Amino acid sequence: MSQVTFYLMSEQDDAQAAAVERLACTIAAESWGAGHIYLFCNDEAQALRLDELLWQLPPERFVPHQLQGESGIAPVEIGYQPPKRRYARLINLATATP
């Protein structure tokens, strides 16, 4: 049985958008051990911001992650292109649905 959780966000100003990005990183940090996660972003700039936010977490909350297209298979992948494989979880920050 699959479980789906939706966080529906309305139009956002910059502060709200930053809070949503931090929430996405928190969700990834709390759940990456249960299966691979894909953070689907609107664009490259957002993907790079999420990458940086994950590096800023305290060492005890380290999240193994990579940007889409980098070599290896980290539990958390960040990209702005539709995912190229199946993931246990998708965190969709984009306006489009992959």
Side-chain angles (χ1 to χ4, degrees):
M1 179 163 82
S2 297
Q3 178 181 345
V4 177
T5 303
F6 289 95
Y7 295 87
L8 299 177
M9 308 298 181
S10 60
E11 289 295 319
Q12 303 165 10
D13 61 24
D14 289 343
Q16 290 168 321
V20 168
E21 290 173 356
R22 286 191 305 275
L23 173 62
C25 290
T26 298
I27 293 168
E30 292 173 353
S31 60
W32 68 266
H36 286 88
I37 297 172
Y38 187 71
L39 291 165
F40 184 42
C41 301
N42 264 321
D43 53 34
E44 182 179 18
Q46 185 177 43
L48 292 171
R49 281 194 307 275
L50 291 175
D51 178 51
E52 183 59 33
L53 285 170
L54 288 172
W55 281 117
Q56 291 176 10
L57 293 173
E60 64 275 4
R61 296 201 60 198
F62 174 73
V63 176
H65 68 281
Q66 67 188 46
L67 292 167
Q68 187 179 40
E70 293 179 341
S71 62
I73 300 178
V76 175
E77 189 169 6
I78 308 163
Y80 56 95
Q81 300 294 323
K84 298 183 187 317
R85 60 185 179 90
R86 292 187 69 100
Y87 293 82
R89 291 180 173 79
L90 169 74
I91 299 176
N92 186 9
L93 298 165
T95 53
T97 302

